[in-house]
Amino acid sequence: MSTNVWPDTPEDMAALAARLQYSDEEVELPPTPGPEGIMVSRSLKMPLELDKRIKDAATARGITQSMLMRQLLEMGLAALELDHPISLGDAIKALTSLPKTA
């Protein structure tokens, strides 16, 4: 049995288990995977057109769709936590109703 291959048979698994050594000594844990820590997968349903827009926007920025969605979620949460956001449509209506200055 190679030490780089997971055991295929009960006998190989028993041989592996026999080689394990247990102790109460502290060990250094391996670093957390990825630059952003442990990632959690979520299933998300969205309209086809929104999916296409996300793909296009991610491609234009040279990042993955997952990275773009994480960035958008972060911005959205920051807006919710730090402000009282209004819709873009409401903002445009409010701005266009302001008197024009010279």
Side-chain angles (χ1 to χ4, degrees), residues 55-77:
K55 286 178 186 176
D56 293 345
T59 300
R61 289 164 178 75
I63 60 175
T64 65
Q65 295 172 55
S66 292
M67 177 63 78
L68 177 63
M69 287 190 272
R70 282 192 298 273
Q71 290 174 356
L72 294 171
L73 289 168
E74 286 286 341
M75 288 188 298
L77 286 172

Side-chain angles (χ1 to χ4, degrees), residues 22-63:
Y22 300 94
S23 77
D24 291 327
E25 293 180 33
E26 287 191 30
V27 296
E28 184 177 332
L29 296 175
T32 303
E36 297 176 14
I38 296 172
M39 299 299 229
V40 177
S41 293
R42 292 281 182 237
S43 176
L44 175 68
K45 293 180 181 180
M46 67 182 78
L48 185 61
E49 180 57 33
L50 179 57
D51 183 61
K52 183 181 180 327
R53 290 172 58 201
I54 289 171
K55 286 178 186 176
D56 293 345
T59 300
R61 289 164 178 75
I63 60 175

Side-chain angles (χ1 to χ4, degrees), residues 85-97:
I86 62 172
S87 73
L88 179 59
D90 289 343
I92 291 171
K93 286 178 193 172
L95 289 173
T96 57
S97 68

